[in-house]
Amino acid sequence: NAGVTQTPKFQVLKTGQSMTLQCAQDMNHNSMYWYRQDPGMGLRLIYYSASEGTTDKGEVPNGYNVSRLNKREFSLRLESAAPSQTSVYFCASTGAGFSEQFFGPGTRLTVL
Amino acid sequence: GQQVMQIPQYQHVQEGEDFTTYCNSSTTLSNIQWYKQRPGGHPVFLIQLVKSGEVKKQKRLTFQFGEAKKNSSLHITATQTTDVGTYFCAVAGGTSYGKLTFGQGTILTVHP
């Protein structure tokens, strides 16, 4: 099992460009999450999907959209990137009981 | 939503010294999780504490949940260079669906 995979690993964008971060899990988990990590601020929840077909906002949703394409895949879209979105983005998933979350390797995004 | 304060932000130790990080909340927590993130890596689940006063051990790591369920600690005995990384506590959100609020993390450096 690959666990949680994310693409791309690195990305550099110019202000105003758009992009989609991809996430997939092969653990048959119902719930998936997108976080951003900035120095000194821990991980902050952007959006989550409790189950296939549902999505909801987390702590810092502004400037992002998500799609739960199917049970395996949960994508994060930046429609018009801003320098403030320079960060490391992690996708995570969890199974029934909402205990441990499994994280992907992350996407390191720089917006110039 | 849930807020959790984690201290210290940084800790530098000599190999063989002990290390402790603390998480504190102003509200009663249903449970608390601990994660470790190696430099350049992704968070990895260590443990979940649920019961008041609970103490769990994993080799040199000891996890405690306070009697009032408002604080928790992670103690490492006789640190090794492999312990280097950032340690996060995380608490469940007020609603369900596994939403987590992470502490700011404690960055541990171990000098050989």
Side-chain angles (χ1 to χ4, degrees):
Chain A
N1 287 349
V4 180
T5 57
Q6 291 183 237
T7 56
K9 285 186 168 55
F10 301 93
Q11 185 71 51
V12 178
L13 294 178
K14 295 181 179 178
T15 298
Q17 287 184 318
S18 63
M19 78 162 295
T20 300
L21 282 65
Q22 307 286 353
C23 173
Q25 51 89 12
D26 62 2
M27 296 173 283
N28 200 36
H29 285 167
N30 286 324
S31 302
M32 298 184 73
Y33 311 84
W34 275 105
Y35 294 91
R36 62 177 288 172
Q37 183 175 29
D38 303 293
M41 300 189 72
L43 291 101
R44 292 182 292 168
L45 184 64
I46 305 171
Y47 270 93
Y48 68 100
S49 171
S51 60
E52 185 179 356
T54 70
T55 61
D56 211 340
K57 295 178 180 179
E59 181 185 352
V60 288
N62 291 345
Y64 305 95
N65 285 299
V66 291
S67 295
R68 184 74 183 266
L69 304 170
N70 47 56
K71 192 170 186 179
R72 291 188 62 250
E73 299 172 289
F74 187 37
S75 63
L76 178 72
R77 182 161 178 83
L78 287 70
E79 290 291 351
S80 179
S84 61
Q85 294 178 304
T86 293
S87 188
V88 181
Y89 292 86
F90 289 101
C91 176
S93 70
T94 189
F98 304 115
S99 55
E100 70 176 288
Q101 291 194 6
F102 294 83
F103 284 79
T107 295
R108 282 149 181 81
L109 175 67
T110 300
V111 183
L112 302 175
Chain B
Q2 292 277 14
Q3 297 284 341
V4 59
M5 293 298 296
Q6 188 173 354
I7 56 171
Q9 189 173 359
Y10 303 94
Q11 187 74 57
H12 306 276
V13 299
Q14 290 293 129
E15 191 172 19
E17 293 182 336
D18 292 356
F19 159 76
T20 305
T21 176
Y22 302 89
C23 275
N24 298 294
S25 170
S26 58
T27 60
T28 302
L29 304 171
S30 57
N31 60 63
I32 192 163
Q33 297 180 7
W34 287 91
Y35 291 79
K36 176 183 179 180
Q37 183 177 24
R38 294 184 186 276
H42 59 275
V44 175
F45 175 83
L46 294 175
I47 209 161
Q48 176 170 279
L49 304 174
V50 178
K51 300 177 182 178
S52 168
E54 190 169 17
V55 178
K56 287 189 175 180
K57 294 190 176 184
Q58 293 178 351
K59 297 182 181 179
R60 295 178 294 103
L61 277 61
T62 302
F63 304 85
Q64 293 190 343
F65 202 9
E67 292 289 344
K69 300 182 72 172
K70 290 186 176 182
N71 56 74
S72 180
S73 65
L74 158 59
H75 179 82
I76 302 178
T77 303
T79 55
Q80 300 175 358
T81 55
T82 54
D83 295 325
V84 164
T86 303
Y87 293 84
F88 293 99
C89 60
V91 299
T95 57
S96 58
Y97 312 127
K99 290 195 298 180
L100 294 177
T101 298
F102 282 78
Q104 298 92 329
T106 296
I107 300 172
L108 173 64
T109 304
V110 180
H111 300 285

